[in-house]
Amino acid sequence: MEGDCLSCMKYLMFLFNFFIFLGGACLLGLGIWVIVDPTGFREIVAANPLLFTGAYIMLAMGAMLFLLGFLGCCGAIRENKCLLLFFFMFILLIFLAELSAAILAFIFRENLTREFFTKELKKHYQRNNDTDVFSSTWNSVMITFACCGVNGPEDFEAIPPYPSLEKATPEACCQRELQSREGMFVNKEACLLGSEKFQNRQGCYTVILNSFETYVYLAGALAIGVLAIELFAMIFAMCLFRGIQ
């Protein structure tokens, strides 16, 4: 009976580690996509030190989970106590790191409010100055998502426009035939002179929130699932470790 229980534990351990292996592969793929994606995210990530660090942490965590899932599978099938102990210690460190990151994200969530982004935009935005990382990043976001400012074009009324223009609307808010820096303007002159017909009127905060709302919940559910799988994997690893003679 004890042998049957140990055998069952071994295959359950293999199953949980296989899911960890797949989760690591997904994180690794997502991290690579965020960094090399050509539609503007690469610029955004590179421009923000926090996002830049987060993308590489995601890559590192994905690679580590990928490796540990593989080692856990090998340790379970071969009933190797050394591999199982190594797996348990590292999966525990990863579990604590992920839990800490989730707590920090919850604590600092107020930094992602509409008011925070509006304040930062009005304070640092320099229109078409592509040598300024903040302005270049905002221009990429507005062009990619066909939006304007945080709340709308009115966000730029407090930012001095070019002397030759009557309105404060930046070029990045003007409608394009193709939403990229290479896309042709529908009517640039009319847009810059304040014609709403040729401007992107919707704020980027709402557009991006709507675009990523589903993915945020999906990412949250995935994170909870990964934490649960890691917890069960540690329990099975210790049970299997103690059961191996």
Side-chain angles (χ1 to χ4, degrees):
M1 187 71 176
E2 185 178 344
D4 291 339
C5 183
L6 186 62
S7 179
C8 179
M9 192 72 68
K10 179 173 73 173
Y11 288 111
L12 282 173
M13 172 74 179
F14 177 85
L15 181 64
F16 276 112
N17 276 282
F18 180 69
F19 284 123
I20 289 173
F21 176 83
L22 289 180
C26 289
L27 274 179
L28 195 60
L30 184 61
I32 293 170
W33 175 78
V34 167
I35 290 172
V36 304
D37 175 65
T39 59
F41 291 101
R42 180 172 47 194
E43 279 187 60
I44 297 168
V45 170
N48 189 316
L50 186 62
L51 290 178
F52 183 80
T53 304
Y56 279 95
I57 288 175
M58 188 187 300
L59 274 176
M61 294 292 287
M64 194 174 293
L65 284 174
F66 184 86
L67 176 63
L68 286 178
F70 177 76
L71 291 176
C73 288
C74 291
I77 292 299
R78 299 180 62 182
E79 298 185 8
N80 187 307
K81 294 186 76 170
C82 183
L83 280 177
L84 287 171
L85 184 60
F86 176 82
F87 167 81
F88 176 84
M89 295 302 295
F90 272 86
I91 208 74
L92 177 62
L93 289 174
I94 291 173
F95 179 84
L96 293 176
E98 289 174 345
L99 197 60
S100 300
I103 292 170
L104 286 173
F106 179 79
I107 291 173
F108 292 105
R109 69 191 186 282
E110 64 271 10
N111 288 340
L112 300 177
T113 61
R114 185 188 295 268
E115 291 73 21
F116 172 80
F117 285 116
T118 304
K119 178 182 174 183
E120 291 297 300
L121 179 70
K122 291 181 177 180
K123 183 177 179 182
H124 301 291
Y125 185 67
Q126 298 177 25
R127 300 183 177 277
N128 292 332
N129 183 3
D130 287 333
T131 60
D132 177 66
V133 172
F134 183 89
S135 303
S136 177
T137 300
W138 260 105
N139 287 335
S140 294
V141 170
M142 292 189 291
I143 292 170
T144 301
F145 290 95
C147 56
C148 188
V150 178
N151 309 288
E154 64 273 10
D155 289 343
F156 299 102
E157 291 176 1
I159 303 173
Y162 294 109
S164 60
L165 301 177
E166 297 178 8
K167 298 291 182 180
T169 308
E171 286 185 10
C173 288
C174 296
Q175 293 180 7
R176 298 170 184 251
E177 294 177 3
L178 179 66
Q179 292 306 317
S180 71
R181 286 185 178 271
E182 293 73 33
M184 297 291 293
F185 290 100
V186 176
N187 190 328
K188 179 180 174 181
E189 290 74 17
C191 167
L192 295 178
L193 289 172
S195 176
E196 296 183 3
K197 181 180 178 181
F198 301 105
Q199 295 176 355
N200 295 314
R201 304 293 300 174
Q202 193 167 13
C204 293
Y205 190 87
T206 302
V207 171
I208 294 175
L209 196 64
N210 291 339
S211 299
F212 287 98
E213 187 175 14
T214 303
Y215 299 104
V216 167
Y217 288 120
L218 184 62
L222 181 62
I224 293 171
V226 168
L227 288 173
I229 289 170
E230 289 172 354
L231 184 61
F232 279 110
M234 286 189 291
I235 293 171
F236 285 129
M238 274 296 96
C239 291
L240 188 58
F241 178 86
R242 291 170 61 86
I244 295 173
Q245 301 301 321

